[in-house]
């Protein structure tokens, strides 16, 4: 069972997919974010690619975008100059990464040899829908 911490933003609450020790803007990864990175890097390793390095600026950007999608209930790509995978509704990091790997465009982002850095986030609406975000850069 996932624990939850609620963060108030404007008039709508947004919930982390798991309970963090710090605020959403903290640089430490939350367990759900760690799991996304680990599963993503496992896919890269299976394909002979080096692991992606967590980039704190990308983590902040992914969190900001995931919060926006969660608040607005709108799954739309960011306008930031990054490669990005987004998803909605998967129950955990295993499902999210599996969904991305089963989609040619998302898989291409994960397995892109030029990508060296990653930032990730996952937030849950009060109704329970999780919005996922991965962002990549060289």
């Amino acid at each position: 069972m996932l624990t939850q911490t609620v963060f108030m933003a404007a008039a709508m609450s947004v919930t982390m997919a798991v309970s963090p020790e710090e605020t959403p803007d903290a640089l430490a990864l939350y367990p759900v974010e760690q799991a996304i990175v680990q599963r993503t890097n496992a896919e890269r390793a299976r394909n002979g690619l080096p692991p992606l390095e967590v980039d704190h600026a990308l983590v902040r950007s992914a969190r900001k975008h995931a919060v926006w999608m969660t608040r607005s209930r709108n799954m739309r790509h960011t306008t930031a100059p990054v490669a990005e995978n987004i998803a909605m509704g998967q129950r955990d990091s295993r499902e999210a990464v599996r969904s991305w790997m089963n989609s040619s465009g998302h898989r291409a982002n994960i397995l892109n040899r030029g990508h060296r850095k990653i930032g990730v986030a996952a937030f849950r609406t009060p109704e329970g829908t999780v919005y996922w975000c991965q962002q990549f850069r060289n």
Side-chain angles (χ1 to χ4, degrees):
M1 181 170 148
L2 298 176
T3 57
Q4 301 174 341
T5 301
V6 178
F7 298 98
M8 295 306 291
M12 187 175 296
S13 64
V14 173
T15 309
M16 278 298 296
V18 297
S19 179
E21 296 294 319
E22 305 172 49
T23 66
D25 291 325
L27 295 181
L29 290 183
Y30 305 119
V32 69
E33 294 168 337
Q34 291 170 354
I36 296 167
V37 172
Q38 288 169 350
R39 292 183 190 288
T40 299
N41 280 332
E43 293 295 340
R44 288 176 63 86
R46 273 192 275 285
N47 287 275
L49 297 169
L52 295 166
E53 176 187 335
V54 173
D55 180 281
H56 296 298
L58 283 175
V59 171
R60 282 189 293 274
S61 177
R63 286 177 181 171
K64 179 179 175 183
H65 189 63
V67 166
W68 176 84
M69 289 191 300
T70 305
R71 283 187 201 146
S72 66
R73 311 299 198 277
N74 188 338
M75 195 170 82
R76 184 179 303 169
H77 285 284
T78 183
T79 58
V82 296
E84 181 178 66
N85 288 344
I86 58 175
M88 175 189 81
Q90 293 77 4
R91 293 173 295 195
D92 58 31
S93 62
R94 181 184 323 263
E95 281 187 20
V97 174
R98 186 180 316 127
S99 292
W100 288 324
M101 290 302 292
N102 287 331
S103 162
S104 62
H106 297 106
R107 180 183 177 89
N109 275 336
I110 290 171
L111 301 181
N112 185 317
R113 291 187 178 279
H115 293 158
R116 297 284 185 240
K117 312 245 183 207
I118 189 171
V120 299
F123 286 88
R124 178 188 330 273
T125 67
E127 298 79 32
T129 302
V130 180
Y131 286 81
W132 304 86
C133 183
Q134 288 183 310
Q135 294 182 348
F136 308 91
R137 70 176 180 185
N138 301 340

